[in-house]
Amino acid sequence: MTTLFVSLFISLSSLLFGEQDSVELVFAGDAMQHKAQINAAKQADGSYSFNECFAAIAPYVSEADYAVVNLETPIGGAPYSGYPMFCAPDSYSIALKNAGFDLMLTANNHALDRRDKGVKRTLDVLDAQGLDHVGTYRNQADREKSLPLIKNINGFKIAFLNYTYGTNGIKVQNDVVVDYIDKAKIKKDIAETRAAGAEVLCVCMHWGVEYVLLPNASQKSWQTS
């Protein structure tokens, strides 16, 4: 699991409403597990517990008003696997919830590691656990129902969108929807989200060169888009 934390402190209500409220958002990623971590999480009764993996960061995550994590593995059911085709036990997302994360970003290059079935099962598990999610959808109707995702956090209407550069060459088989990076789609989504009343919009992009912290030319091109 590679984890990068970014805190965003928002204090705009003094401009909007003459008040002094504030919001602290936490963004983290990537949440995934290799086979050795899966093996280490296995309990004597055959279940899996990942709570210990997040124990050190849980106080920090839980203190945020809303915490977002890139869930870079399907919750696709057994058999479980690590790199290069990830699939985590249900308890992995439970551990993320226990650590304080509220929103799972599901559009990333491993979203289709368990194909369409894995996408749907992941969303079912997250729904059952009461976790918010954005980026992949069971079908187009599900996407239209799910977006815009606007959360009222400390009085702020904050919206979230999530897109990925690709899915490692794996294609959608049937009707699931993965939000790929597409300028026309993103502009349309942003316009509709703002029209729905979002005051702050967080667009979460899964892109760039792995282990490179600076933006590449493609990413920089979005500054003028």
Tab-separated table of all heavy atoms in Angstrom, residues 103-163:
chain	number	residue	atom	x	y	z
A	103	LEU	N	-15.142	8.521	1.901
A	103	LEU	CA	-15.402	8.410	0.464
A	103	LEU	C	-14.330	7.566	-0.207
A	103	LEU	O	-13.134	7.805	-0.026
A	103	LEU	CB	-15.433	9.807	-0.176
A	103	LEU	CG	-15.497	9.881	-1.703
A	103	LEU	CD1	-16.793	9.285	-2.225
A	103	LEU	CD2	-15.356	11.335	-2.178
A	104	MET	N	-14.756	6.591	-1.000
A	104	MET	CA	-13.856	5.745	-1.773
A	104	MET	C	-13.849	6.203	-3.232
A	104	MET	O	-14.907	6.269	-3.876
A	104	MET	CB	-14.307	4.274	-1.734
A	104	MET	CG	-14.520	3.689	-0.352
A	104	MET	SD	-12.990	3.324	0.525
A	104	MET	CE	-13.196	4.435	1.932
A	105	LEU	N	-12.662	6.539	-3.744
A	105	LEU	CA	-12.508	6.814	-5.168
A	105	LEU	C	-12.268	5.485	-5.871
A	105	LEU	O	-11.332	4.760	-5.531
A	105	LEU	CB	-11.326	7.749	-5.409
A	105	LEU	CG	-11.335	9.084	-4.656
A	105	LEU	CD1	-10.043	9.845	-4.922
A	105	LEU	CD2	-12.552	9.926	-5.028
A	106	THR	N	-13.073	5.140	-6.852
A	106	THR	CA	-12.984	3.807	-7.457
A	106	THR	C	-12.552	3.824	-8.919
A	106	THR	O	-12.376	2.755	-9.515
A	106	THR	CB	-14.320	3.059	-7.321
A	106	THR	OG1	-15.375	3.848	-7.904
A	106	THR	CG2	-14.642	2.789	-5.854
A	107	ALA	N	-12.374	5.001	-9.513
A	107	ALA	CA	-11.890	5.071	-10.895
A	107	ALA	C	-10.366	5.151	-10.886
A	107	ALA	O	-9.778	6.180	-10.561
A	107	ALA	CB	-12.473	6.284	-11.611
A	108	ASN	N	-9.731	4.046	-11.211
A	108	ASN	CA	-8.269	3.974	-11.269
A	108	ASN	C	-7.882	2.839	-12.206
A	108	ASN	O	-8.748	2.120	-12.721
A	108	ASN	CB	-7.669	3.799	-9.867
A	108	ASN	CG	-8.290	2.638	-9.122
A	108	ASN	OD1	-8.129	1.484	-9.517
A	108	ASN	ND2	-9.016	2.928	-8.039
A	109	ASN	N	-6.590	2.652	-12.425
A	109	ASN	CA	-6.163	1.677	-13.434
A	109	ASN	C	-6.385	0.224	-13.027
A	109	ASN	O	-6.253	-0.682	-13.851
A	109	ASN	CB	-4.696	1.895	-13.826
A	109	ASN	CG	-3.749	1.825	-12.654
A	109	ASN	OD1	-3.887	2.579	-11.690
A	109	ASN	ND2	-2.756	0.947	-12.725
A	110	HIS	N	-6.742	-0.012	-11.760
A	110	HIS	CA	-7.048	-1.379	-11.333
A	110	HIS	C	-8.549	-1.619	-11.144
A	110	HIS	O	-8.943	-2.670	-10.624
A	110	HIS	CB	-6.297	-1.702	-10.038
A	110	HIS	CG	-4.822	-1.859	-10.230
A	110	HIS	ND1	-4.272	-2.960	-10.844
A	110	HIS	CD2	-3.778	-1.042	-9.925
A	110	HIS	CE1	-2.948	-2.830	-10.897
A	110	HIS	NE2	-2.633	-1.668	-10.352
A	111	ALA	N	-9.368	-0.687	-11.571
A	111	ALA	CA	-10.813	-0.797	-11.354
A	111	ALA	C	-11.412	-2.052	-11.984
A	111	ALA	O	-12.376	-2.624	-11.460
A	111	ALA	CB	-11.521	0.441	-11.901
A	112	LEU	N	-10.843	-2.493	-13.127
A	112	LEU	CA	-11.411	-3.636	-13.848
A	112	LEU	C	-10.599	-4.915	-13.658
A	112	LEU	O	-10.737	-5.853	-14.441
A	112	LEU	CB	-11.518	-3.308	-15.338
A	112	LEU	CG	-12.559	-2.250	-15.719
A	112	LEU	CD1	-12.460	-1.914	-17.205
A	112	LEU	CD2	-13.979	-2.730	-15.389
A	113	ASP	N	-9.770	-4.958	-12.621
A	113	ASP	CA	-8.966	-6.167	-12.390
A	113	ASP	C	-9.823	-7.412	-12.227
A	113	ASP	O	-9.376	-8.523	-12.537
A	113	ASP	CB	-8.083	-5.987	-11.152
A	113	ASP	CG	-6.831	-5.177	-11.454
A	113	ASP	OD1	-6.699	-4.671	-12.583
A	113	ASP	OD2	-5.980	-5.047	-10.550
A	114	ARG	N	-11.043	-7.278	-11.722
A	114	ARG	CA	-11.996	-8.394	-11.657
A	114	ARG	C	-13.181	-8.158	-12.592
A	114	ARG	O	-14.277	-8.628	-12.355
A	114	ARG	CB	-12.453	-8.613	-10.213
A	114	ARG	CG	-11.392	-9.278	-9.328
A	114	ARG	CD	-11.082	-10.698	-9.788
A	114	ARG	NE	-9.988	-11.307	-9.070
A	114	ARG	CZ	-10.128	-12.071	-7.982
A	114	ARG	NH1	-11.335	-12.287	-7.466
A	114	ARG	NH2	-9.079	-12.609	-7.392
A	115	ARG	N	-12.905	-7.412	-13.646
A	115	ARG	CA	-13.853	-7.175	-14.723
A	115	ARG	C	-15.145	-6.521	-14.202
A	115	ARG	O	-15.201	-5.965	-13.130
A	115	ARG	CB	-14.145	-8.465	-15.492
A	115	ARG	CG	-12.890	-9.174	-16.019
A	115	ARG	CD	-12.013	-8.247	-16.869
A	115	ARG	NE	-11.026	-8.954	-17.661
A	115	ARG	CZ	-9.816	-9.322	-17.244
A	115	ARG	NH1	-9.451	-9.059	-15.991
A	115	ARG	NH2	-8.973	-9.931	-18.042
A	116	ASP	N	-16.193	-6.566	-14.988
A	116	ASP	CA	-17.453	-5.903	-14.640
A	116	ASP	C	-18.018	-6.433	-13.322
A	116	ASP	O	-18.546	-5.673	-12.508
A	116	ASP	CB	-18.496	-6.136	-15.742
A	116	ASP	CG	-18.155	-5.437	-17.042
A	116	ASP	OD1	-16.956	-5.354	-17.391
A	116	ASP	OD2	-19.088	-4.972	-17.728
A	117	LYS	N	-17.931	-7.735	-13.138
A	117	LYS	CA	-18.466	-8.339	-11.918
A	117	LYS	C	-17.794	-7.750	-10.682
A	117	LYS	O	-18.451	-7.494	-9.671
A	117	LYS	CB	-18.273	-9.856	-11.958
A	117	LYS	CG	-18.856	-10.592	-10.759
A	117	LYS	CD	-18.652	-12.097	-10.897
A	117	LYS	CE	-19.217	-12.840	-9.681
A	117	LYS	NZ	-19.018	-14.307	-9.809
A	118	GLY	N	-16.491	-7.530	-10.773
A	118	GLY	CA	-15.770	-6.962	-9.645
A	118	GLY	C	-16.172	-5.532	-9.355
A	118	GLY	O	-16.237	-5.110	-8.193
A	119	VAL	N	-16.435	-4.755	-10.416
A	119	VAL	CA	-16.908	-3.380	-10.231
A	119	VAL	C	-18.228	-3.383	-9.471
A	119	VAL	O	-18.400	-2.652	-8.482
A	119	VAL	CB	-17.081	-2.669	-11.587
A	119	VAL	CG1	-17.789	-1.326	-11.407
A	119	VAL	CG2	-15.738	-2.456	-12.264
A	120	LYS	N	-19.162	-4.209	-9.929
A	120	LYS	CA	-20.481	-4.238	-9.301
A	120	LYS	C	-20.412	-4.729	-7.865
A	120	LYS	O	-21.064	-4.168	-6.971
A	120	LYS	CB	-21.427	-5.116	-10.121
A	120	LYS	CG	-21.760	-4.536	-11.492
A	120	LYS	CD	-22.696	-5.444	-12.270
A	120	LYS	CE	-23.050	-4.840	-13.615
A	120	LYS	NZ	-23.963	-5.689	-14.408
A	121	ARG	N	-19.607	-5.767	-7.625
A	121	ARG	CA	-19.523	-6.291	-6.267
A	121	ARG	C	-18.881	-5.275	-5.332
A	121	ARG	O	-19.298	-5.128	-4.167
A	121	ARG	CB	-18.746	-7.605	-6.229
A	121	ARG	CG	-18.839	-8.300	-4.869
A	121	ARG	CD	-18.047	-9.601	-4.814
A	121	ARG	NE	-18.307	-10.305	-3.562
A	121	ARG	CZ	-17.790	-9.975	-2.388
A	121	ARG	NH1	-16.971	-8.920	-2.307
A	121	ARG	NH2	-18.077	-10.654	-1.299
A	122	THR	N	-17.878	-4.571	-5.821
A	122	THR	CA	-17.231	-3.541	-5.008
A	122	THR	C	-18.243	-2.497	-4.569
A	122	THR	O	-18.301	-2.114	-3.387
A	122	THR	CB	-16.092	-2.861	-5.792
A	122	THR	OG1	-15.099	-3.835	-6.116
A	122	THR	CG2	-15.455	-1.744	-4.978
A	123	LEU	N	-19.061	-2.035	-5.487
A	123	LEU	CA	-20.064	-1.025	-5.166
A	123	LEU	C	-21.109	-1.569	-4.195
A	123	LEU	O	-21.546	-0.857	-3.284
A	123	LEU	CB	-20.728	-0.519	-6.443
A	123	LEU	CG	-19.787	0.120	-7.473
A	123	LEU	CD1	-20.570	0.577	-8.696
A	123	LEU	CD2	-19.001	1.273	-6.865
A	124	ASP	N	-21.491	-2.831	-4.372
A	124	ASP	CA	-22.445	-3.447	-3.446
A	124	ASP	C	-21.878	-3.493	-2.026
A	124	ASP	O	-22.586	-3.205	-1.048
A	124	ASP	CB	-22.800	-4.863	-3.906
A	124	ASP	CG	-23.658	-4.876	-5.169
A	124	ASP	OD1	-24.239	-3.830	-5.516
A	124	ASP	OD2	-23.747	-5.954	-5.803
A	125	VAL	N	-20.613	-3.867	-1.912
A	125	VAL	CA	-19.972	-3.958	-0.593
A	125	VAL	C	-19.875	-2.579	0.047
A	125	VAL	O	-20.194	-2.409	1.238
A	125	VAL	CB	-18.571	-4.604	-0.712
A	125	VAL	CG1	-17.803	-4.474	0.602
A	125	VAL	CG2	-18.694	-6.071	-1.103
A	126	LEU	N	-19.456	-1.594	-0.712
A	126	LEU	CA	-19.337	-0.242	-0.170
A	126	LEU	C	-20.693	0.304	0.261
A	126	LEU	O	-20.813	0.956	1.303
A	126	LEU	CB	-18.688	0.687	-1.192
A	126	LEU	CG	-17.254	0.322	-1.620
A	126	LEU	CD1	-16.731	1.345	-2.627
A	126	LEU	CD2	-16.321	0.228	-0.417
A	127	ASP	N	-21.729	0.031	-0.527
A	127	ASP	CA	-23.072	0.465	-0.154
A	127	ASP	C	-23.513	-0.203	1.142
A	127	ASP	O	-24.096	0.438	2.024
A	127	ASP	CB	-24.068	0.147	-1.265
A	127	ASP	CG	-23.983	1.123	-2.431
A	127	ASP	OD1	-23.438	2.230	-2.242
A	127	ASP	OD2	-24.467	0.776	-3.523
A	128	ALA	N	-23.249	-1.493	1.265
A	128	ALA	CA	-23.637	-2.231	2.463
A	128	ALA	C	-22.926	-1.702	3.704
A	128	ALA	O	-23.459	-1.768	4.815
A	128	ALA	CB	-23.351	-3.720	2.285
A	129	GLN	N	-21.728	-1.168	3.507
A	129	GLN	CA	-20.947	-0.638	4.617
A	129	GLN	C	-21.225	0.841	4.884
A	129	GLN	O	-20.659	1.424	5.813
A	129	GLN	CB	-19.457	-0.852	4.347
A	129	GLN	CG	-19.067	-2.323	4.312
A	129	GLN	CD	-17.672	-2.553	3.781
A	129	GLN	OE1	-16.955	-1.609	3.469
A	129	GLN	NE2	-17.273	-3.809	3.679
A	130	GLY	N	-22.088	1.445	4.068
A	130	GLY	CA	-22.435	2.840	4.258
A	130	GLY	C	-21.345	3.803	3.853
A	130	GLY	O	-21.282	4.931	4.360
A	131	LEU	N	-20.499	3.395	2.922
A	131	LEU	CA	-19.401	4.242	2.447
A	131	LEU	C	-19.795	4.953	1.155
A	131	LEU	O	-20.377	4.348	0.254
A	131	LEU	CB	-18.148	3.404	2.211
A	131	LEU	CG	-17.401	2.948	3.467
A	131	LEU	CD1	-16.443	1.797	3.138
A	131	LEU	CD2	-16.635	4.119	4.079
A	132	ASP	N	-19.470	6.224	1.061
A	132	ASP	CA	-19.665	6.951	-0.187
A	132	ASP	C	-18.649	6.473	-1.221
A	132	ASP	O	-17.546	6.045	-0.871
A	132	ASP	CB	-19.489	8.455	0.039
A	132	ASP	CG	-20.538	9.043	0.972
A	132	ASP	OD1	-21.653	8.487	1.027
A	132	ASP	OD2	-20.243	10.053	1.632
A	133	HIS	N	-19.002	6.576	-2.489
A	133	HIS	CA	-18.063	6.191	-3.555
A	133	HIS	C	-18.389	6.956	-4.821
A	133	HIS	O	-19.527	7.359	-5.064
A	133	HIS	CB	-18.102	4.682	-3.808
A	133	HIS	CG	-19.489	4.130	-4.004
A	133	HIS	ND1	-20.147	4.184	-5.219
A	133	HIS	CD2	-20.340	3.518	-3.143
A	133	HIS	CE1	-21.345	3.613	-5.096
A	133	HIS	NE2	-21.499	3.216	-3.845
A	134	VAL	N	-17.352	7.145	-5.651
A	134	VAL	CA	-17.529	7.860	-6.910
A	134	VAL	C	-16.443	7.402	-7.875
A	134	VAL	O	-15.334	7.055	-7.478
A	134	VAL	CB	-17.448	9.388	-6.680
A	134	VAL	CG1	-16.066	9.819	-6.216
A	134	VAL	CG2	-17.854	10.167	-7.927
A	135	GLY	N	-16.781	7.340	-9.167
A	135	GLY	CA	-15.800	6.988	-10.187
A	135	GLY	C	-16.183	5.807	-11.051
A	135	GLY	O	-15.825	5.754	-12.227
A	136	THR	N	-16.886	4.816	-10.480
A	136	THR	CA	-17.383	3.671	-11.246
A	136	THR	C	-18.844	3.447	-10.883
A	136	THR	O	-19.281	3.781	-9.773
A	136	THR	CB	-16.586	2.385	-10.957
A	136	THR	OG1	-16.656	2.077	-9.555
A	136	THR	CG2	-15.128	2.537	-11.367
A	137	TYR	N	-19.572	2.825	-11.830
A	137	TYR	CA	-21.022	2.710	-11.656
A	137	TYR	C	-21.499	1.400	-12.277
A	137	TYR	O	-20.882	0.875	-13.207
A	137	TYR	CB	-21.732	3.906	-12.303
A	137	TYR	CG	-21.119	5.211	-11.856
A	137	TYR	CD1	-20.064	5.787	-12.582
A	137	TYR	CD2	-21.529	5.829	-10.685
A	137	TYR	CE1	-19.455	6.956	-12.145
A	137	TYR	CE2	-20.922	6.998	-10.240
A	137	TYR	CZ	-19.883	7.547	-10.970
A	137	TYR	OH	-19.256	8.690	-10.536
A	138	ARG	N	-22.606	0.894	-11.788
A	138	ARG	CA	-23.135	-0.391	-12.270
A	138	ARG	C	-23.583	-0.296	-13.727
A	138	ARG	O	-23.484	-1.260	-14.482
A	138	ARG	CB	-24.289	-0.838	-11.384
A	138	ARG	CG	-23.888	-1.104	-9.933
A	138	ARG	CD	-25.104	-1.335	-9.055
A	138	ARG	NE	-24.726	-1.549	-7.671
A	138	ARG	CZ	-24.519	-0.561	-6.780
A	138	ARG	NH1	-24.664	0.702	-7.163
A	138	ARG	NH2	-24.186	-0.841	-5.535
A	139	ASN	N	-24.105	0.854	-14.105
A	139	ASN	CA	-24.548	1.115	-15.466
A	139	ASN	C	-24.764	2.622	-15.600
A	139	ASN	O	-24.563	3.374	-14.635
A	139	ASN	CB	-25.832	0.335	-15.806
A	139	ASN	CG	-26.891	0.472	-14.717
A	139	ASN	OD1	-27.198	1.585	-14.282
A	139	ASN	ND2	-27.431	-0.648	-14.265
A	140	GLN	N	-25.172	3.069	-16.776
A	140	GLN	CA	-25.338	4.499	-16.996
A	140	GLN	C	-26.438	5.080	-16.116
A	140	GLN	O	-26.321	6.205	-15.622
A	140	GLN	CB	-25.634	4.778	-18.471
A	140	GLN	CG	-25.714	6.254	-18.825
A	140	GLN	CD	-24.426	7.015	-18.554
A	140	GLN	OE1	-23.338	6.462	-18.680
A	140	GLN	NE2	-24.558	8.284	-18.187
A	141	ALA	N	-27.497	4.314	-15.915
A	141	ALA	CA	-28.586	4.794	-15.052
A	141	ALA	C	-28.093	4.996	-13.620
A	141	ALA	O	-28.488	5.960	-12.946
A	141	ALA	CB	-29.753	3.810	-15.087
A	142	ASP	N	-27.230	4.101	-13.167
A	142	ASP	CA	-26.658	4.231	-11.829
A	142	ASP	C	-25.794	5.484	-11.736
A	142	ASP	O	-25.808	6.198	-10.727
A	142	ASP	CB	-25.834	2.984	-11.497
A	142	ASP	CG	-25.284	2.980	-10.080
A	142	ASP	OD1	-26.012	3.385	-9.154
A	142	ASP	OD2	-24.118	2.571	-9.898
A	143	ARG	N	-25.050	5.771	-12.801
A	143	ARG	CA	-24.225	6.989	-12.809
A	143	ARG	C	-25.090	8.233	-12.726
A	143	ARG	O	-24.799	9.165	-11.971
A	143	ARG	CB	-23.350	7.046	-14.066
A	143	ARG	CG	-22.358	8.209	-14.071
A	143	ARG	CD	-21.538	8.237	-15.358
A	143	ARG	NE	-20.405	9.144	-15.238
A	143	ARG	CZ	-20.457	10.453	-15.487
A	143	ARG	NH1	-21.606	11.005	-15.879
A	143	ARG	NH2	-19.385	11.207	-15.348
A	144	GLU	N	-26.151	8.256	-13.525
A	144	GLU	CA	-27.026	9.421	-13.534
A	144	GLU	C	-27.695	9.622	-12.190
A	144	GLU	O	-27.926	10.769	-11.763
A	144	GLU	CB	-28.066	9.262	-14.646
A	144	GLU	CG	-27.451	9.309	-16.045
A	144	GLU	CD	-28.424	8.949	-17.134
A	144	GLU	OE1	-29.605	8.678	-16.825
A	144	GLU	OE2	-28.022	8.934	-18.323
A	145	LYS	N	-27.974	8.529	-11.495
A	145	LYS	CA	-28.587	8.621	-10.169
A	145	LYS	C	-27.572	9.048	-9.112
A	145	LYS	O	-27.914	9.752	-8.149
A	145	LYS	CB	-29.182	7.255	-9.781
A	145	LYS	CG	-29.870	7.218	-8.426
A	145	LYS	CD	-30.424	5.841	-8.131
A	145	LYS	CE	-29.307	4.835	-7.894
A	145	LYS	NZ	-29.835	3.507	-7.462
A	146	SER	N	-26.318	8.653	-9.290
A	146	SER	CA	-25.292	8.895	-8.277
A	146	SER	C	-24.675	10.286	-8.346
A	146	SER	O	-24.154	10.790	-7.337
A	146	SER	CB	-24.174	7.847	-8.418
A	146	SER	OG	-24.681	6.531	-8.279
A	147	LEU	N	-24.696	10.892	-9.529
A	147	LEU	CA	-24.074	12.200	-9.716
A	147	LEU	C	-25.136	13.278	-9.900
A	147	LEU	O	-26.196	13.009	-10.462
A	147	LEU	CB	-23.150	12.171	-10.934
A	147	LEU	CG	-21.930	11.269	-10.836
A	147	LEU	CD1	-21.106	11.360	-12.121
A	147	LEU	CD2	-21.063	11.601	-9.629
A	148	PRO	N	-24.873	14.493	-9.446
A	148	PRO	CA	-23.635	14.900	-8.769
A	148	PRO	C	-23.598	14.418	-7.323
A	148	PRO	O	-24.638	14.353	-6.660
A	148	PRO	CB	-23.697	16.423	-8.834
A	148	PRO	CG	-25.158	16.735	-8.868
A	148	PRO	CD	-25.790	15.629	-9.658
A	149	LEU	N	-22.395	14.073	-6.860
A	149	LEU	CA	-22.186	13.695	-5.460
A	149	LEU	C	-21.813	14.956	-4.690
A	149	LEU	O	-20.686	15.432	-4.769
A	149	LEU	CB	-21.082	12.644	-5.335
A	149	LEU	CG	-20.718	12.243	-3.905
A	149	LEU	CD1	-21.911	11.610	-3.193
A	149	LEU	CD2	-19.523	11.285	-3.893
A	150	ILE	N	-22.777	15.509	-3.988
A	150	ILE	CA	-22.575	16.740	-3.219
A	150	ILE	C	-22.839	16.436	-1.752
A	150	ILE	O	-23.917	15.947	-1.397
A	150	ILE	CB	-23.499	17.869	-3.703
A	150	ILE	CG1	-23.278	18.148	-5.195
A	150	ILE	CG2	-23.263	19.140	-2.879
A	150	ILE	CD1	-24.225	19.192	-5.778
A	151	LYS	N	-21.856	16.690	-0.916
A	151	LYS	CA	-21.962	16.438	0.519
A	151	LYS	C	-22.037	17.765	1.267
A	151	LYS	O	-21.294	18.699	0.970
A	151	LYS	CB	-20.749	15.641	1.016
A	151	LYS	CG	-20.486	14.346	0.267
A	151	LYS	CD	-21.617	13.353	0.411
A	151	LYS	CE	-21.794	12.864	1.830
A	151	LYS	NZ	-22.834	11.794	1.921
A	152	ASN	N	-22.936	17.830	2.222
A	152	ASN	CA	-23.012	19.005	3.088
A	152	ASN	C	-22.094	18.756	4.273
A	152	ASN	O	-22.406	17.971	5.164
A	152	ASN	CB	-24.451	19.229	3.555
A	152	ASN	CG	-24.627	20.571	4.240
A	152	ASN	OD1	-23.762	21.008	5.006
A	152	ASN	ND2	-25.752	21.224	3.996
A	153	ILE	N	-20.947	19.418	4.272
A	153	ILE	CA	-19.932	19.208	5.297
A	153	ILE	C	-19.716	20.519	6.031
A	153	ILE	O	-19.221	21.495	5.447
A	153	ILE	CB	-18.608	18.709	4.682
A	153	ILE	CG1	-18.861	17.492	3.770
A	153	ILE	CG2	-17.602	18.359	5.774
A	153	ILE	CD1	-17.648	17.073	2.954
A	154	ASN	N	-20.125	20.555	7.259
A	154	ASN	CA	-20.016	21.782	8.067
A	154	ASN	C	-20.667	22.989	7.395
A	154	ASN	O	-20.193	24.113	7.508
A	154	ASN	CB	-18.548	22.107	8.380
A	154	ASN	CG	-17.941	21.142	9.383
A	154	ASN	OD1	-18.556	20.153	9.759
A	154	ASN	ND2	-16.725	21.423	9.813
A	155	GLY	N	-21.745	22.721	6.685
A	155	GLY	CA	-22.455	23.808	6.035
A	155	GLY	C	-21.972	24.132	4.638
A	155	GLY	O	-22.586	24.950	3.936
A	156	PHE	N	-20.903	23.506	4.190
A	156	PHE	CA	-20.399	23.693	2.826
A	156	PHE	C	-20.979	22.615	1.920
A	156	PHE	O	-21.012	21.435	2.291
A	156	PHE	CB	-18.878	23.578	2.776
A	156	PHE	CG	-18.144	24.696	3.445
A	156	PHE	CD1	-17.804	24.612	4.781
A	156	PHE	CD2	-17.779	25.828	2.735
A	156	PHE	CE1	-17.116	25.641	5.406
A	156	PHE	CE2	-17.088	26.852	3.346
A	156	PHE	CZ	-16.757	26.769	4.695
A	157	LYS	N	-21.383	22.985	0.740
A	157	LYS	CA	-21.827	22.027	-0.263
A	157	LYS	C	-20.613	21.662	-1.125
A	157	LYS	O	-20.237	22.402	-2.030
A	157	LYS	CB	-22.945	22.607	-1.113
A	157	LYS	CG	-24.217	22.883	-0.322
A	157	LYS	CD	-25.294	23.509	-1.193
A	157	LYS	CE	-26.552	23.800	-0.381
A	157	LYS	NZ	-27.602	24.454	-1.204
A	158	ILE	N	-19.999	20.522	-0.810
A	158	ILE	CA	-18.755	20.117	-1.453
A	158	ILE	C	-19.019	18.904	-2.342
A	158	ILE	O	-19.591	17.905	-1.893
A	158	ILE	CB	-17.676	19.794	-0.406
A	158	ILE	CG1	-17.459	21.004	0.511
A	158	ILE	CG2	-16.368	19.389	-1.083
A	158	ILE	CD1	-16.455	20.774	1.614
A	159	ALA	N	-18.600	19.003	-3.592
A	159	ALA	CA	-18.846	17.940	-4.563
A	159	ALA	C	-17.550	17.228	-4.919
A	159	ALA	O	-16.453	17.793	-4.820
A	159	ALA	CB	-19.477	18.515	-5.822
A	160	PHE	N	-17.695	15.969	-5.352
A	160	PHE	CA	-16.540	15.146	-5.691
A	160	PHE	C	-16.785	14.447	-7.029
A	160	PHE	O	-17.864	13.909	-7.281
A	160	PHE	CB	-16.290	14.094	-4.603
A	160	PHE	CG	-15.998	14.675	-3.255
A	160	PHE	CD1	-17.038	14.988	-2.387
A	160	PHE	CD2	-14.699	14.946	-2.848
A	160	PHE	CE1	-16.780	15.537	-1.134
A	160	PHE	CE2	-14.432	15.495	-1.608
A	160	PHE	CZ	-15.475	15.794	-0.744
A	161	LEU	N	-15.743	14.449	-7.878
A	161	LEU	CA	-15.735	13.706	-9.130
A	161	LEU	C	-14.422	12.943	-9.203
A	161	LEU	O	-13.424	13.351	-8.605
A	161	LEU	CB	-15.862	14.653	-10.325
A	161	LEU	CG	-17.197	15.386	-10.482
A	161	LEU	CD1	-17.070	16.518	-11.502
A	161	LEU	CD2	-18.299	14.423	-10.908
A	162	ASN	N	-14.399	11.837	-9.954
A	162	ASN	CA	-13.218	10.976	-10.005
A	162	ASN	C	-13.086	10.374	-11.404
A	162	ASN	O	-14.063	9.846	-11.952
A	162	ASN	CB	-13.365	9.882	-8.940
A	162	ASN	CG	-12.292	8.815	-8.979
A	162	ASN	OD1	-12.568	7.653	-8.713
A	162	ASN	ND2	-11.058	9.178	-9.271
A	163	TYR	N	-11.866	10.467	-11.965
A	163	TYR	CA	-11.606	9.958	-13.312
A	163	TYR	C	-10.247	9.263	-13.346
A	163	TYR	O	-9.341	9.597	-12.580
A	163	TYR	CB	-11.607	11.106	-14.325
A	163	TYR	CG	-12.855	11.943	-14.291
A	163	TYR	CD1	-12.936	13.058	-13.452
A	163	TYR	CD2	-13.950	11.636	-15.083
A	163	TYR	CE1	-14.086	13.834	-13.399
A	163	TYR	CE2	-15.099	12.409	-15.040
A	163	TYR	CZ	-15.168	13.504	-14.196
A	163	TYR	OH	-16.310	14.268	-14.148
